[in-house]
Amino acid sequence: MPQHKFIVCNYQHSLTSGIVSWQAPSNIALVKYWGKYGEQMPMNASVSFTLKHCNTKTSVSFEKKQSEGFQFEVFLDGKREEGFEPKINKFFERVEAYLPFLKDFKFKIETSNSFPHSSGIASSASGMSALALCLMEMEQRMQPSITDDYFKEKASFLARLGSGSACRSVEGPLIVWGEHPEIDGSSNLFGTKYPFDIHENFRNYQDTILLVDKGEKQVSSTLGHDLMVDHPFAAERFRQAKDNLSKLIPVFKNGDLPEFIKIVESEALSLHAMMMTSLPYFILMKPNTLEIINRIWKFRDETGSKVCFTLDAGANVHVLYPKLEKDNVLHFIKKELLQYCKNGEFIEDEVGLGATNILV
Ligand code: DP6
């Protein structure tokens, strides 16, 4: 069913050609989205830190055309990437009802990531968010009365139709996606800013991403989500995610880091447990992922540090810790964990505030 709130009828202005450009960040989920239904609706609510340095910059040049159908070309780092085009085409099909001008223009989509494409870091969240924001900017030029709130909400709504987690990559620092009974304003349709108090322990929280395996993803997330459809533990998993988000509300408020660690690490391991117990089954961790996890646990036991880890649907490890611990934890990472990374590679990131418009 189309969401009428996001359909603008009769634009005030028309455009002939131009360029729009946005930078959008990646995000790291604390409570994971794994399982969807209908048109990109999540089976459970998730919450993520928006990142600062891992991002995608996208420029969309547009020119009015007469021919029928979608017409676009995608360039990654200046090189034509035909491999990306089917995904964008699917995205255009899904969002056309909300952006009725898409067939009126020919587009050149130029994109680049701050992290290497082969790093195993998903670019779909930042990429789809950046593209959705560019298209929203076109819409705003045609309809200048659009408010900032509507702009961001609809950008997140559109990004979700490209890739679920992308809807959490428009704003920051902490974004909820999916209806949750205790979180005001939460929606399955778009990400919203976490609306309650956030303790200063979480301000500028650090995320050092350890690149354990830089290969192509073994399981695409779309396939992974499908595996939840007949999964024997699905219902319990969705309940667990909901409870974990409820438990995080007081934690965000009072800054209880031991409790934060328990929830976040358990979420990461539950996500992987779902993959290990689906049919077909997958083990996405590598031996070095486990080495890193064990080293983190040992370091925490020995030093009382509040460092912890989370994982996405892959082998890389996100090492999370308070800003106050930055020097100590980075020293530990360099001394003990880099040996488990491919070519010793890692990315230093931290919580950020969301996407920005690039003036061109
Ligand atoms: C494991 O958002 O990549 O990162 O909606 O099919 O594009 P699609 O999936 P995607 O799934 C991300 C799953 C995750 C957990 C999370 O980010 O919440």
Side-chain angles (χ1 to χ4, degrees):
M1 219 188 9
Q3 298 296 321
H4 294 291
K5 175 178 173 186
F6 293 122
I7 299 176
V8 178
C9 304
N10 303 324
Y11 291 116
Q12 280 171 279
H13 300 295
S14 61
L15 299 173
T16 46
S17 66
I19 180 164
V20 283
S21 199
W22 278 80
Q23 170 173 317
S26 189
N27 70 74
I28 180 68
L30 304 170
V31 171
K32 308 290 179 180
Y33 148 58
W34 199 242
K36 60 180 166 184
Y37 70 95
E39 200 160 58
Q40 296 282 95
M41 306 285 240
M43 291 298 293
N44 62 265
S46 55
V47 65
S48 54
F49 278 141
T50 303
L51 297 181
K52 193 186 247 172
H53 303 304
C54 285
N55 60 55
T56 300
K57 283 193 181 112
T58 298
S59 298
V60 175
S61 320
F62 54 89
E63 211 180 293
K64 197 106 185 179
K65 69 173 177 69
Q66 298 302 330
S67 57
E68 309 219 320
F70 299 129
Q71 200 185 329
F72 63 86
E73 288 181 340
V74 183
F75 294 80
L76 175 67
D77 298 327
K79 260 184 47 202
R80 178 89 186 265
E81 265 292 347
E82 290 181 62
F84 285 6
E85 291 170 9
K87 191 154 186 192
I88 307 284
N89 200 68
K90 191 159 175 200
F91 172 66
F92 275 19
E93 281 170 6
R94 281 194 188 150
V95 300
E96 197 201 354
Y98 308 101
L99 300 170
F101 56 84
L102 287 181
K103 285 188 173 145
D104 301 338
F105 294 92
K106 110 175 167 205
F107 297 100
K108 183 177 183 192
I109 303 170
E110 292 172 282
T111 189
S112 62
N113 298 319
S114 66
F115 45 89
H117 181 56
S118 60
S119 62
I121 297 184
S123 57
S124 67
S126 50
M128 284 298 173
S129 167
L131 180 57
L133 285 154
C134 286
L135 298 175
M136 275 311 292
E137 184 162 349
M138 280 184 75
E139 177 160 84
Q140 194 174 42
R141 288 189 193 175
M142 292 185 249
Q143 190 73 16
S145 58
I146 283 176
T147 63
D148 262 12
D149 284 348
Y150 178 90
F151 184 98
K152 284 184 196 146
E153 210 167 85
K154 183 165 171 184
S156 172
F157 171 87
L158 298 171
R160 184 195 101 244
L161 294 171
S163 177
S165 56
C167 76
R168 300 187 312 237
S169 274
V170 173
E171 292 187 276
L174 196 56
I175 301 295
V176 176
W177 169 41
E179 274 165 32
H180 191 281
E182 289 156 61
I183 302 187
D184 306 337
S186 59
S187 167
N188 284 344
L189 299 175
F190 43 81
T192 53
K193 272 189 175 185
Y194 177 77
F196 307 127
D197 291 349
I198 306 173
H199 192 276
E200 65 174 305
N201 279 354
F202 298 107
R203 196 173 304 150
N204 303 318
Y205 221 68
Q206 303 292 301
D207 179 4
T208 302
I209 308 165
L210 305 181
L211 305 178
V212 172
D213 185 36
K214 309 203 301 168
E216 274 292 301
K217 276 193 182 178
Q218 238 188 78
V219 194
S220 77
S221 32
T222 301
L223 188 103
H225 291 289
D226 281 352
L227 295 175
M228 290 305 284
V229 173
D230 289 319
H231 198 292
F233 307 140
E236 194 48 46
R237 162 61 198 151
F238 302 140
R239 212 171 2 250
Q240 177 198 41
K242 178 175 168 226
D243 291 349
N244 279 339
L245 188 41
S246 297
K247 286 185 198 160
L248 275 176
I249 297 171
V251 168
F252 286 138
K253 188 179 161 111
N254 59 31
D256 183 348
L257 293 175
E259 190 61 20
F260 176 79
I261 291 170
K262 252 196 254 170
I263 297 166
V264 168
E265 291 190 346
S266 161
E267 270 293 314
L269 296 178
S270 290
L271 170 72
H272 281 253
M274 289 302 108
M275 298 180 218
M276 288 193 240
T277 49
S278 60
L279 277 175
Y281 39 79
F282 297 95
I283 300 181
L284 299 186
M285 289 188 232
K286 297 282 181 204
N288 283 351
T289 311
L290 288 177
E291 291 286 357
I292 290 168
I293 292 174
N294 281 312
R295 292 271 179 158
I296 289 174
W297 286 345
K298 186 158 171 275
F299 178 74
R300 213 158 64 207
D301 273 355
E302 287 172 357
T303 65
S305 163
K306 299 294 182 285
V307 64
C308 72
F309 72 87
T310 188
L311 308 166
D312 268 343
N316 296 334
V317 182
H318 288 249
V319 184
L320 302 175
Y321 49 98
K323 172 103 178 178
L324 262 178
E325 287 197 38
K326 187 169 178 180
D327 291 347
N328 279 347
V329 175
L330 272 180
H331 180 74
F332 156 67
I333 288 174
K334 287 178 185 159
K335 199 164 128 250
E336 292 198 38
L337 303 185
L338 289 196
Q339 56 179 317
Y340 302 116
C341 299
K342 271 262 152 76
N343 311 320
E345 277 184 77
F346 67 107
I347 298 172
E348 272 185 64
D349 211 333
E350 61 184 319
V351 170
L353 293 179
T356 46
N357 187 205
I358 305 167
L359 296 170
V360 279

